Amino acid sequence: MFDMENKKYTIQIGEHTYFWSNEDERALIINEGFPDEVIDALEVKTSIPTSHLLLYLNIGKSNENKYIRNKVQAKSIVELTELYDYGVQVFNDEEDKFKHWFKKPNVTLNQRSPENVLSEERTVAPVKNVLDKIEYGGF
């Protein structure tokens, strides 16, 4: 989904850093899954509230404290990390500007914020499309 050439994606969970820079490493991470602390790590990295992350990942409150071995959820975590890193790149590595944009209603997303689109539609595709338009001059 994302261009992996010369790009390294990371999620820091406690003392452990998960990283990938190619499809093989990406597949391995998805197959291994993540500890439940990944939710907290994603909230810190992205500033997306836990409630939105749980909706995006389709994790019920009762399942929140279980190791995330479900490949669909692990893939969603990887895709969210890639989307976030791509968004920061699109905003010229100005993370605060990207975080601000991410929380604002967007006309292309029917006046919903990218953050809300993720939790409502449970896919990164619409947000990635808007970022592509920004990156490649579609706006």
Side-chain angles (χ1 to χ4, degrees), residues 12-42:
Q12 181 73 36
I13 304 173
E15 300 281 322
H16 187 74
T17 302
Y18 293 81
F19 62 91
W20 62 98
S21 59
N22 60 54
E23 289 297 330
D24 291 337
E25 292 170 350
R26 185 181 197 266
L28 184 62
I29 290 204
I30 290 169
N31 284 331
E32 287 178 359
F34 295 97
D36 62 316
E37 294 89 3
V38 71
I39 303 300
D40 295 331
L42 283 172

Side-chain angles (χ1 to χ4, degrees), residues 58-77:
N58 199 25
I59 298 173
K61 274 292 203 188
S62 61
N63 294 0
E64 183 181 352
N65 295 323
K66 295 180 181 172
Y67 198 88
I68 297 174
R69 288 201 186 272
N70 176 311
K71 287 181 178 54
V72 172
Q73 291 167 339
K75 182 179 180 204
S76 293
I77 290 166

Side-chain angles (χ1 to χ4, degrees), residues 1-18:
M1 173 176 234
F2 292 89
D3 178 20
M4 298 222 172
E5 191 172 317
N6 299 321
K7 182 68 179 157
K8 182 184 250 185
Y9 299 98
T10 63
I11 304 173
Q12 181 73 36
I13 304 173
E15 300 281 322
H16 187 74
T17 302
Y18 293 81

Side-chain angles (χ1 to χ4, degrees), residues 96-112:
D96 288 340
K97 283 187 179 181
F98 173 65
K99 284 182 177 182
H100 178 74
W101 175 85
F102 196 75
K103 294 186 177 294
K104 282 181 50 180
N106 187 295
V107 67
T108 307
L109 299 171
N110 297 323
Q111 293 303 325
R112 296 178 297 163

Side-chain angles (χ1 to χ4, degrees), residues 48 51-57 114-123:
I48 299 173
S51 60
H52 286 210
L53 289 170
L54 294 176
L55 285 170
Y56 168 68
L57 296 170
E115 181 180 288
N116 285 337
V117 169
L118 289 178
S119 62
E120 292 168 7
E121 296 188 22
R122 297 185 177 141
T123 177

